[in-house]
Amino acid sequence: MKLSDLAQSDPEVRRAAVHCMANLCLSVPGQPYLEEPYQNVCFQAFLTILQSPKSSDMDDITFCMLLQNALKGIQSLLNGGRMKLTQTDELGALLAVLKKFMFHGLPGLNIEMPTVLYPTPLPQYDGRTPIKPQQSESSASRPTLNKKKKSKVKPKKIQQGEEEEKESSGEIEAAPVTGTGRVNLHEGNTWCPSSLGVQSLPLDGSGAAEKDGVSSPFTSSSWKRVSSSESDFSDAEGGMQSKMRSYQAKVRQGALVCFLSTIKSIEKKVLYGYWSAFIPDTPELGSPQSVSLMTLTLKDPSPKTRACALQVLSAILEGSKQFLSVAEDTSDHRRAFTPFSVMIACSIRELHRCLLLALVAESSSQTVTQIIKCLANLVSNAPYDRLKLSLLTKVWNQIKPYIRHKDVNVRVSSLTLLGAIVSTHAPLPEVQLLLQQPCSSGLGNSNSATPHLSPPDWWKKAPAGPSLEETSVSSPKGSSEPCWLIRLCISIVVLPKEDSCSGSDAGSAAGSTYEPSPMRLEALQVLTLLARGYFSMTQAYLMELGEVICKCMGEADPSIQLHGAKLLEELGTGLIQQYKPDSTAAPDQRAPVFLVVMFWTMMLNGPLPRALQNSEHPTLQASACDALSSILPEAFSNLPNDRQMLCITVLLGLNDSKNRLVKAATSRALGVYVLFPCLRQDVIFVADAANAILMSLEDKSLNVRAKAAWSLGNLTDTLIVNMETPDPSFQEEFSGLLLLKMLRSAIEASKDKDKVKSNAVRALGNLLHFLQPSHIEKPTFAEITEESIQALISTVLTEAAMKVRWNACYAMGNVFKNPALPLGIAPWTSQAYNALTSVVTSCKNFKVRIRSAAALSVPGKREQYGSVDQYARIWNALVTALQKSEDTTDFLEFKYCVSLRTQICQALIHLLSLASASDLPCMKETLELSGIMVQSYILQFLKSGAEGDDTGAPHSPQERDQMVRMALKHVGSIQAPTGDTARRAIMGFLEEILAVCFDSSGSQGALPGLTNQ
């Protein structure tokens, strides 16, 4: 510490001391790390060194080495010591020095930073020293816009870049970007207008189409190194300058790597407070662009430093979806101030602009890969549904040529970016149009940024077989062009690779005729994402994709097999979604059932059964099970009997697997199959599936138990559906012992973790609803019924996850539907009602309150509600719940207020329609206190339409009006004792509601016969 102090006179000793301190901060496996007090001391020492100016007696190279050691020390403290930067000043001071040294020695840039950066949503101030003309040899050439001179200098720049990179990060390859490509970018030739008709991306910071855009500080090469032939230095001076540049680049790299460690050690919400200090924003007209990470990406001479800056930017963008979701840029904002949402939108737009500029200007393949990965991260997190159109179009058109880049890593990352585009906020109309672009769009430009590309129809080769040839000419309905991206991905997966792309294909097997494995895997991933987000377009290639899947699953590489199975599952899920009742797809746009049957027959006759039985690769087995569970039920019933039996037999057999992934997937698949209409009345299959599911419910793995509980819930749903069929044979044949076993397992599962409990209580409710009088008469069932209801009551009252409590209330409503249960006379009746009334008045979650109110209105007979006191408690609780229907501290619950009041009003009217003479005095008393409030809400209930809740409440005003009439008729028919005024008061209350409703609606015939009651 003493030797590293500023007072140390010998610069070399000071540098060596800091170097030793940095090494002390390294973590050594198996040994305790530096104690916390020493960590803090070292951190402050390193920070002081970084904050202090260079002393006069220290040469530039020693100073660079001192800075490198200090940065390395802080990085070690953050990585090895897991040091937490909790103090704002401490973090701000570190970020200030990191930002300063990120630009250390960058030609043509000299920034002054404050001592501390403070978190703020507004752009930070950067004081930059104006660049004097004599500071840069090439500054004099900046105003000149002679294209010939520019194209002549650029190859020299690239050559010099190669020399620099050999020194700092190893050999790089020749640039695929020519000077012509850069100039054409500014002329708008590379970003051709898309089918949306949008204009080219403006390349200046202000967004105005300035003619001198080529000389923008971000696009001009004037600040770049000049070759030695143009230099005024002697050979010795030139060598020293080159060495100096190398050391300065290492300082910038050290600052960026340290920044990366800082990002990983702080929370994202803290990091985003400093967003504007490191992320570019669109500058005002005439003002300079603020320095940011993109400054390095566009201006740094070292490819390694540019790559480091992009890694940092990727780390900032990763997981930023929630932060960026506030951005909005769909309309022109002409205000006295810039809203935060518009500021973030400007940042997103500027990031797109700068990254696309960097992409077309980059010469290093490794850095090109980083740029494309960074774009993929940006695309995955940006809210394009809230931004102006064309951002994705520009990215799309710019990335298409790189799919045929000579470097395999660039090709893979290009596919990753395309995958990010088709998965973000899918389906987006902009992307839909891009997918329908002609195959040649963006690939046939002779002035492309990647001149070595093949022609745009490079993938149109001889197909692998006749059936592939037949389907290759098919195109989606309503489109004159096939989806070029699907065609591209299919060709990458199944067709032999071209010699022109084999130069740097790392990762491909020796002698392999196909594209490298990472490329094929990424292509399969893109196909999977297209099937998920744009299924209407993907389904036109259904049979061809089926052949691709069969080919993949028949290969030796387990990764290719696995991705083939994932694609199969996604296609199956898309077909199921089309046939759901709430599907937006018109019947004529669905894939015909006979085609789906052909597709699955191909799968089941192909390598899918072999993958299901491949115990050497359990992950593949599990994915194959998931795929098997995505068969369209309508198609399954039309499969040949032997294929149906194959599916069922394989699943029941795999349920005994020792692997938890396989067992979980099998349990889930059985839970899907028990809902198939062609299987649910098969008593033998349902019983076999039940036994298999109950066995999985006792597994040690929580994931297996959770899947099994979900499947048990589905199986009990099937029991309820079978109850509603006219044929009673299923109930008669279903084993009572198995029913008992299911009840016991469900009770035990209701005591498990929330993931298991939520479906266990759902199953309990269904099972208690399914019990027949013949079951309930038996003593064993009476005992288990009591235990099951107690389990439900305790779950309703417990402070578990809201989903668990919602399911418990739902289950309780199911229990009340069984007329064979002794509801109203059993001892558990009051406990069940008390639990529900407690929830309806006090639960924080309104959806749970709605479900409990729905359960309270299920019993259809007065005697099922128990004693007069019990009935009064339920009535009073519902009135109280109506009063509290807007009492919540959670803003998100307000949207359920109307649904809650609707359900409570229905329950109150239901109770009125069942009330006996002895119940009326209590009801009258409550209405005298709260009648005006209740009346106003019931009037709203009568006048409103459907609220979109799922509680089964009457939705039309006519149905609701009829409910009140029935209640009025019932109350009028009660034989009340002489002198009892309660009946007359309640009738008056209901008549007044109907009269007000009649007056407001003007409906004729709304009140006939009321005067006779």
Side-chain angles (χ1 to χ4, degrees), residues 239-281:
M240 182 57 69
Q241 285 291 322
S242 178
K243 186 177 181 182
M244 187 65 227
R245 285 198 298 268
S246 175
Y247 275 97
Q248 287 172 337
K250 287 177 182 175
V251 172
R252 297 197 295 274
Q253 290 158 23
L256 288 165
V257 172
C258 189
F259 189 17
L260 196 59
S261 298
T262 306
I263 290 169
K264 293 175 181 176
S265 68
I266 60 177
E267 292 183 35
K268 287 283 184 178
K269 63 182 180 182
V270 176
L271 173 66
Y272 294 139
Y274 301 92
W275 174 270
S276 58
F278 297 98
I279 305 299
D281 61 330

Side-chain angles (χ1 to χ4, degrees), residues 141 144-160 177-183 221 225-227 229-230:
S141 66
T144 306
L145 293 177
N146 188 306
K147 292 180 184 176
K148 291 183 180 178
K149 181 173 181 180
K150 204 166 180 64
S151 61
K152 190 170 74 175
V153 172
K154 276 194 174 175
K156 293 183 180 180
K157 182 212 80 173
I158 294 165
Q159 182 182 5
Q160 184 72 11
V177 185
T178 64
T180 308
R182 167 130 358 145
V183 174
S221 61
R225 293 163 305 252
V226 290
S227 65
S229 62
E230 297 172 305

Side-chain angles (χ1 to χ4, degrees), residues 407-418:
D407 188 286
V408 67
N409 293 317
V410 174
R411 301 207 300 277
V412 171
S413 57
S414 299
L415 278 176
T416 305
L417 175 52
L418 288 171

Side-chain angles (χ1 to χ4, degrees), residues 44 367 378 481 530 564 718 780 816 819 847 867 883 1004 1011:
Q44 289 302 327
T367 314
L378 175 60
E481 290 278 348
L530 280 165
T718 289
T780 50
F816 293 166
K847 290 181 82 173
S867 65
Q883 284 176 320
Q1004 295 301 314
T1011 54

Side-chain angles (χ1 to χ4, degrees), residues 551-572:
K551 177 174 176 51
C552 291
M553 295 188 74
E555 291 192 19
D557 185 348
S559 297
I560 297 287
Q561 290 180 310
L562 181 63
H563 278 70
K566 294 284 186 188
L567 175 56
L568 174 57
E569 181 191 354
E570 208 59 59
L571 287 171

Side-chain angles (χ1 to χ4, degrees), residues 646-804:
L646 171 69
C647 296
I648 293 168
T649 307
V650 168
L651 289 177
L652 289 172
L654 284 176
N655 197 69
D656 294 327
S657 172
K658 302 298 180 189
N659 185 277
R660 291 172 181 175
L661 279 176
V662 178
K663 200 164 187 177
T666 306
S667 294
R668 181 187 170 278
L670 287 171
V672 172
Y673 275 47
V674 293
L675 296 175
F676 284 4
C678 62
L679 291 177
R680 65 185 176 212
Q681 288 192 319
D682 185 335
V683 178
I684 296 174
F685 168 71
V686 173
D688 287 344
N691 281 311
I693 291 166
L694 293 179
M695 187 171 72
S696 296
L697 205 54
E698 297 174 1
D699 196 88
K700 292 179 181 178
S701 165
L702 175 60
N703 189 39
V704 174
R705 296 199 306 276
K707 300 286 186 189
W710 179 81
S711 294
L712 183 62
N714 282 6
L715 191 144
T716 56
D717 284 344
T718 289
L719 299 183
I720 302 302
V721 171
N722 287 335
M723 274 179 69
E724 295 165 1
T725 58
D727 184 7
S729 59
F730 183 90
Q731 291 99 298
E732 293 167 1
E733 294 175 22
F734 197 77
S735 167
L737 287 174
L738 180 57
L739 206 56
L740 207 59
K741 189 177 174 184
M742 290 166 71
L743 280 164
R744 289 199 179 108
S745 293
I747 290 168
E748 286 305 309
S750 71
K751 302 169 187 173
D752 206 331
K753 304 285 185 184
D754 283 355
K755 280 185 177 182
V756 181
K757 189 184 292 186
S758 61
N759 281 300
V761 293
R762 171 180 150 224
L764 274 176
N766 283 333
L767 287 168
L768 290 170
H769 183 190
F770 181 77
L771 289 180
Q772 305 301 306
S774 58
H775 297 133
I776 295 169
E777 291 168 1
K778 298 175 183 176
T780 50
F781 271 98
E783 186 181 334
I784 202 80
T785 300
E786 170 84 25
E787 199 176 335
S788 300
I789 291 170
Q790 290 299 335
L792 286 179
I793 291 168
S794 64
T795 310
V796 168
L797 293 171
T798 190
E799 288 298 321
M802 293 307 166
K803 182 181 178 182
V804 174

Side-chain angles (χ1 to χ4, degrees), residues 188 191-194 196-202 207 209 389-391 393-394 397:
W191 285 326
C192 53
S194 71
L196 290 174
V198 294
Q199 294 181 348
S200 300
L201 182 68
L389 293 176
S390 83
L391 284 179
T393 302
K394 290 163 186 169
N397 290 336

